[in-house]
Amino acid sequence: MTTTSPHDAGPAAPWRAAGLRRAAGSRPAAVAAAALVVAGALASLFLGAADLAPADLLAARSLDDPAVELLLVSRGPRLLALLLAGSAMAVAGLLMMHLTRNRFVSPSTAGTVEWAQLGLLLATLVLGSTGVLERMLVAVVAALAGTALFLRLLRRLVLADTLLVPLVGLMLGAVVSGVTTGIAYRADLLPVLATWTAGDASGIIAGRFELLWLVVVALAVAWWQADRFTVAGLGEGTAVSLGVDHGAVVRVGLVVVAVVTAVVVVVVGAVPFVALVVPNLVTIVVGDDIRRALPVTAAAGAAFVLLCDVVGRVVVHPYEIPVGTVAGVIGGVVFLVVLLRLRGRGVSA
Amino acid sequence: MTTSTSPATTAHEAGTGPSDAERRAAARRWRVVVVLAALVLLAAAALLLLGVRGDWGFVLGLRGRRLGALVVAGVAVGVSTVLFQTVTANRIITPGIMGFDALYVLVQTVAVATLGTLVVVTADVRVRFALEVLVLLAFGLLLHALVLRSTASGDVLLLVLVGVVLGATFTSATLLVSRVIDPNEALTLQDLLFARVGTVDRQLLPLGAAVVAVVAAAALRRAPVLDVVALGREAAVGLGVAHRREVRRAFLLVAVLVAVSTALVGPLTFLGLLAANVARELLGTHAHRWSLPTASLVAVLALVGGQVVLERLLGWGTALTVVVDVVGGLYLLVLLVRQGRPHTRGALL
C-alpha cells in the first residue's frame, strides 16, 4: 500500500491524487475474471454425479422434465451459493486488507471465521438445530466481537509489523478453534463441527442456501461505501484530514465483514484462503482503489471458488471432495508463492 | 539427567574457577531440574494409580503403555524443539509450527493412498519409520535451503507465517488425499493416525523409546558444540565449528524425533514452543546441557500432568492434544504481542 502525506491530496479525487497504485490493467482483468466465472459456472452446472448436458435442457419441454428439475433443485442453487459465497468472501478480504492496512489480513487470518464457528457451535448447543436465522445471528455477533477484539489487539502492537499482524490473527484463530473443538468434543458434536470447518457445497439444494442472499446486501453496502473504504485505507490521519469519519468507516466495514463471514460459515462452511489470496492478486493487477477493485475481486473470488469446486468434483468422480479442502491446498500454495516472491523483491507488503 | 556435575564455566573465566554467583546459579538450576523431575514422578504415579478398579495387572499394563507414550513423546518434543531453535537461531519457531507434524500425517495418508492399507499396516514398523524419517529430513533440509538460511529479524516472522500456512496446507492436503482413497481404507487410516494416547502401537513404543533415548543422549553429548552453534553461523564458523554439518545433523535428529512423537500421540503443534521457552525462563540460561533435559521435563510434565487433570478430574479422556494446543497457542500469541512492543523488540529473535 502506498502511503503519502496528506498534503498531496487534491480536493477532487483525493485518493487518486494521493498517488494510489492504479495499474492500467483494470479492464482486461475484469474481462478475464468475468470469463473465468462463466467458464466455472458452465462447468459447475454440467458436471456431477448425475449426467446433465446442455442439450437435455434445450430438449426439455416442461418444468417437470428431470433435467430442468435437476437444474432448479440442485445444480442451480449450488452454483448460486458458490458464486455468492466466493465473491462475498473475496470482497470481505479486500475490506479487511484496507481497514488494517495490511495485505495479509483477511477474515481467515484475523480469526473472524473461527469466531463465527464458535458462535455457531454455541448457538447449536443452546438453541438446538432449529432456527437457522437465530444461529446465524449468534454467529454474526461472535464474528463481530472477535474481529473487534483483534483490531483492539492490533492497536497494542505499537510497531504493527506487516507480518506480525496476520500471525497474531492466525494464533488467535488457532486458539479460538481449539476452544471450539474442545467444546464440540465434550458435547459429542465433532462430526457436526467437521462439516462446518471444511466448506462443503454438496449439501446445498434449493431451500438451503437462500440465507446467502443476505451477503448481496453486505456487498451493496461495500460498493456504496467503496470510496470511504479507500480513503480509510490511507490511514487514520489522512482519512480524518480528508474529512472522513475513520471510526465510522471501520465500524461499517467490520459489520460487512462479520455478516459475510458468518453467513458463509453457516451456509457453506469455511473456504480457506479465498479472502486472502484473491484480493491480493487482484490489487496487484488493478490497484488499491476499491471502487475499481471491488467488482474484479468479487468476480475473481467467485471464479476461484467455482473452479475449486469443479476440481473437487472431477478428481474423484462420481464422489466429491469438499470445496474448502481443495481451496485449502490450492490457496495455500498460491499464498506461499506470493509471500516468498514479495520477500524476494524486498517488498515488506 | 546430566551426568556432569561441574558448574558451568564460560570461556573467559576458564581456569579461574567458578565465581560465587555462578555457583548459586548452578545450584538454582539443579533445584529447577529436581523439582520438575519430582512433579513428573508425581503426575506419573497419579496417572497410573488414581481410581484403579478391577484387575490391577490389566489396568496398569494399559496405563503403563499410555504413560510410556506420553513420556517418550514429551522428551522427543522437548529435545527436538531446543535443537530446532538452536540451528534456526530464534525462539519462536518449532518443528510443529513449521508444519513438520502436519507433514508426517500427510506422508502416512499418502502412503496408505498409494500402497493400500494392507501394505502399510503389515509393513515392518522399522521400515515404515525409516521412510517417514527420510521424508521429514528431506523437508527439513529443503526448508533450510529455501527459507531458513537468512535469519534477519523481519524474516523470522515470515518464517513463522510460512510455517503456519504450510501446516494448514498439509492438513488440507491430508483431508483431500483421505477423500480420494476407499472409505474402508480411510477408516483404517484414521485408526493409524488417530490411535493417539488410548491405544499405542505395541511395536512402536519400545522402538520409539529406544530411538529417542539414543537421540537425546547424542544431543546431550554435543551440548557444548550446540552452545556455539546457537551463537549464529558467523560466530560459530569463527570459533571453528563446522556449522553446516552441525545444522544437517540437527535436522536429522529433529526429523527422527518429530516422527516418533507424532506417531505416538499425534501432532502437538505448540507444545515444543511452551516447553523450550518455559525451560529457558526457569533456568536463566541457554546452555544446552541444561535446556535439553529441562525442556524435556517440562514437555513430559505438560503431557502427563495434563492427561491426569483431563482424565481424572474432568473426565475428558483423549482431548489432551487439543488442550495443549490451546495453551501453547495462547502462549505464542503472548510472545508475539510482547514482541510488538518496542521495549521488548528483538528479545525473542
Side-chain angles (χ1 to χ4, degrees):
Chain A
M1 233 170 272
T2 324
T3 47
T4 50
S5 71
H7 312 292
D8 297 341
W15 47 94
R16 304 232 164 100
L20 269 178
R21 252 189 331 178
R22 45 180 299 215
S26 172
R27 196 171 297 262
V31 172
L36 272 178
V37 173
V38 173
L42 287 176
S44 179
L45 280 181
F46 298 111
L47 279 173
D51 289 321
L52 176 69
D56 297 340
L57 283 179
L58 294 174
R61 288 285 163 262
S62 74
L63 281 179
D64 296 335
D65 190 278
V68 177
E69 204 180 338
L70 182 64
L71 184 75
L72 290 182
V73 174
S74 169
R75 296 285 165 77
R78 180 182 189 135
L79 171 64
L80 266 177
L82 292 172
L83 275 175
L84 290 174
S87 53
M89 282 308 285
V91 169
L94 181 71
L95 293 190
M96 285 287 270
M97 205 166 118
H98 280 264
L99 293 180
T100 59
R101 310 190 69 203
N102 185 313
R103 60 172 59 254
F104 299 123
V105 174
S106 75
S108 52
T109 50
T112 311
V113 172
E114 285 80 2
W115 283 103
Q117 283 166 345
L118 179 61
L120 183 54
L121 178 72
L122 292 178
T124 308
L125 280 178
V126 176
L127 304 168
S129 53
T130 51
V132 186
L133 211 61
E134 287 90 338
R135 283 198 289 164
M136 197 210 65
L137 266 179
V138 177
V140 169
V141 171
L144 202 57
T147 316
L149 177 79
F150 172 70
L151 292 183
R152 262 273 149 95
L153 210 58
L154 277 197
R155 292 194 166 237
R156 297 181 55 112
L157 302 176
V158 179
L159 287 166
D161 203 308
T162 326
L163 296 170
L164 182 64
V165 172
L167 257 181
V168 168
L170 278 168
M171 282 309 114
L172 195 62
V175 169
V176 173
S177 115
V179 171
T180 309
T181 311
I183 296 174
Y185 174 84
R186 278 303 281 163
D188 276 328
L189 281 176
L190 273 185
V192 184
L193 185 69
T195 58
W196 298 333
T197 41
D200 188 350
S202 63
I204 293 176
I205 50 172
R208 286 211 38 202
F209 83 103
E210 282 73 4
L211 215 54
L212 270 175
W213 288 116
L214 266 177
V215 305
V216 176
V217 179
L219 286 179
V221 172
W223 176 250
W224 171 45
Q225 295 280 315
D227 295 337
R228 278 168 209 269
F229 285 126
T230 309
V231 176
L234 295 172
E236 189 167 357
T238 314
V240 170
S241 74
L242 288 171
V244 168
D245 183 348
H246 188 261
V249 177
V250 170
R251 279 193 293 277
V252 171
L254 258 183
V255 172
V256 169
V257 168
V259 167
V260 162
T261 308
V263 171
V264 170
V265 164
V266 169
V267 179
V268 187
V271 185
F273 294 116
V274 182
L276 184 65
V277 168
V278 172
N280 261 303
L281 295 181
V282 169
T283 46
I284 286 175
V285 178
V286 181
D288 287 329
D289 179 355
I290 295 191
R291 181 128 359 239
R292 282 161 161 269
L294 196 140
V296 185
T297 307
F304 180 77
V305 172
L306 277 175
L307 291 176
C308 284
D309 189 50
V310 168
V311 169
R313 284 152 72 179
V314 170
V315 173
V316 285
H317 186 86
Y319 306 105
E320 64 174 79
I321 299 167
V323 55
T325 307
V326 180
V329 176
I330 299 178
V333 171
V334 174
F335 181 52
L336 284 172
V337 171
V338 171
L339 246 186
L340 294 175
R341 287 203 54 175
L342 280 180
R343 182 190 75 144
R345 277 192 269 140
V347 182
S348 56
Chain B
M1 288 241 183
T2 37
T3 47
S4 153
T5 48
S6 70
T9 39
T10 49
H12 67 280
E13 275 174 329
T16 62
S19 68
D20 258 10
E22 275 187 17
R23 219 170 291 145
R24 247 174 299 152
R28 211 194 58 183
R29 285 169 206 151
W30 272 113
R31 262 205 310 281
V32 166
V33 171
V34 169
V35 168
L36 279 174
L39 285 175
V40 166
L41 285 180
L42 207 67
L47 185 67
L48 282 178
L49 304 175
L50 274 186
V52 175
R53 259 169 300 167
D55 186 352
W56 274 76
F58 174 75
V59 175
L60 285 187
L62 198 70
R63 290 191 182 183
R65 223 177 321 138
R66 187 177 302 180
L67 175 66
L70 291 175
V71 171
V72 173
V75 174
V77 166
V79 173
S80 65
T81 306
V82 171
L83 285 177
F84 196 68
Q85 294 192 340
T86 294
V87 293
T88 55
N90 81 84
R91 285 178 52 190
I92 53 175
I93 71 177
T94 74
I97 291 175
M98 296 308 292
F100 274 81
D101 308 12
L103 177 65
Y104 175 84
V105 177
L106 176 61
V107 170
Q108 293 268 12
T109 313
V110 171
V112 170
T114 51
L115 304 174
T117 338
L118 204 63
V119 178
V120 174
V121 171
T122 53
D124 193 325
V125 172
R126 284 164 296 182
V127 177
R128 217 171 80 197
F129 201 71
L131 288 176
E132 287 151 9
V133 167
L134 273 181
V135 174
L136 288 184
L137 177 63
F139 173 66
L141 293 177
L142 190 73
L143 254 190
H144 187 252
L146 286 180
V147 279
L148 290 175
R149 276 285 175 83
S150 47
T151 45
S153 68
D155 280 358
V156 173
L157 293 173
L158 177 82
L159 277 185
V160 187
L161 197 56
V162 166
V164 171
V165 175
L166 267 179
T169 310
F170 287 149
T171 307
S172 281
T174 303
L175 279 173
L176 192 136
V177 175
S178 66
R179 283 278 182 150
V180 177
I181 57 187
D182 184 87
N184 286 324
E185 307 238 310
L187 218 62
T188 321
L189 177 71
Q190 256 196 345
D191 284 346
L192 205 67
L193 290 179
F194 301 103
R196 302 294 155 85
V197 201
T199 47
V200 180
D201 191 312
R202 275 168 196 281
Q203 286 173 287
L204 207 54
L205 184 53
L207 175 73
V211 168
V212 169
V214 170
V215 172
L220 211 50
R221 268 195 49 186
R222 300 207 60 81
V225 182
L226 289 170
D227 288 344
V228 179
V229 173
L231 298 175
R233 183 166 49 189
E234 250 127 71
V237 171
L239 289 169
V241 166
H243 187 269
R244 187 194 271 265
R245 202 183 62 210
E246 289 302 327
V247 167
R248 223 177 297 137
R249 193 196 312 244
F251 268 113
L252 177 63
L253 300 185
V254 167
V256 171
L257 295 172
V258 168
V260 173
S261 77
T262 316
L264 286 178
V265 300
L268 286 162
T269 313
F270 298 118
L271 176 64
L273 182 85
L274 210 61
N277 284 312
V278 167
R280 289 199 198 95
E281 203 86 5
L282 289 175
L283 292 168
T285 176
H286 289 242
H288 285 80
R289 59 194 202 83
W290 290 104
S291 64
L292 284 169
T294 311
S296 302
L297 283 174
V298 173
V300 172
L301 184 62
L303 286 178
V304 178
Q307 184 73 19
V308 169
V309 171
L310 285 186
E311 201 175 308
R312 294 290 128 216
L313 299 183
L314 302 172
W316 275 42
T318 52
L320 174 67
T321 51
V322 173
V323 176
V324 169
D325 265 2
V326 167
V327 175
L330 270 177
Y331 182 63
L332 181 54
L333 197 58
V334 170
L335 284 183
L336 289 171
V337 172
R338 259 212 311 217
Q339 196 194 350
R341 305 223 192 97
H343 60 277
T344 52
R345 191 165 174 76
L348 301 168
L349 310 177

